[in-house]
Amino acid sequence: MARQPSPIYAAQMATKPVYYIETVDMGVRPHPWRWEIRRHGEPMGVSIGGGGYQSRAAAEYAGKQALERFLEELGKEERRK
């Protein structure tokens, strides 16, 4: 399995743990690639990811979009507290 981290830093998360996308080649052809949202420093407690992509670039693109939505929702929740 090849793993390729793609860090994404959001300004509002600068003092919080850093979330990033990791793409994974699962080796199952014809759509082996998947993405996962990860957090540096401590486990997230849940698994967030998606699979079935033909290329690492496609998985990374989908993962980055999902990470943006995740951080947006996380920010909304933080503001509600």
Side-chain angles (χ1 to χ4, degrees):
M1 281 186 241
R3 292 182 180 258
Q4 179 66 37
S6 300
I8 298 219
Y9 302 95
Q12 72 270 21
M13 304 299 288
T15 60
K16 306 268 182 176
V18 176
Y19 295 87
Y20 64 99
I21 293 298
E22 183 169 84
T23 54
V24 181
D25 182 346
M26 302 299 289
V28 179
R29 304 289 183 235
H31 305 286
W33 290 95
R34 67 175 282 109
W35 59 267
E36 299 171 359
I37 295 176
R38 300 285 177 102
R39 177 171 59 184
H40 288 290
E42 62 182 284
M44 287 181 46
V46 296
S47 177
I48 303 174
Y53 298 93
Q54 289 182 334
S55 69
R56 179 175 49 145
E60 190 170 306
Y61 178 79
K64 285 180 180 181
Q65 297 223 334
L67 180 58
E68 286 179 26
R69 288 190 304 273
F70 173 78
L71 292 174
E72 186 176 298
E73 292 300 318
L74 188 60
K76 288 179 185 177
E77 187 169 319
E78 288 291 320
R79 287 188 293 274
R80 280 187 241 147
K81 291 182 180 180

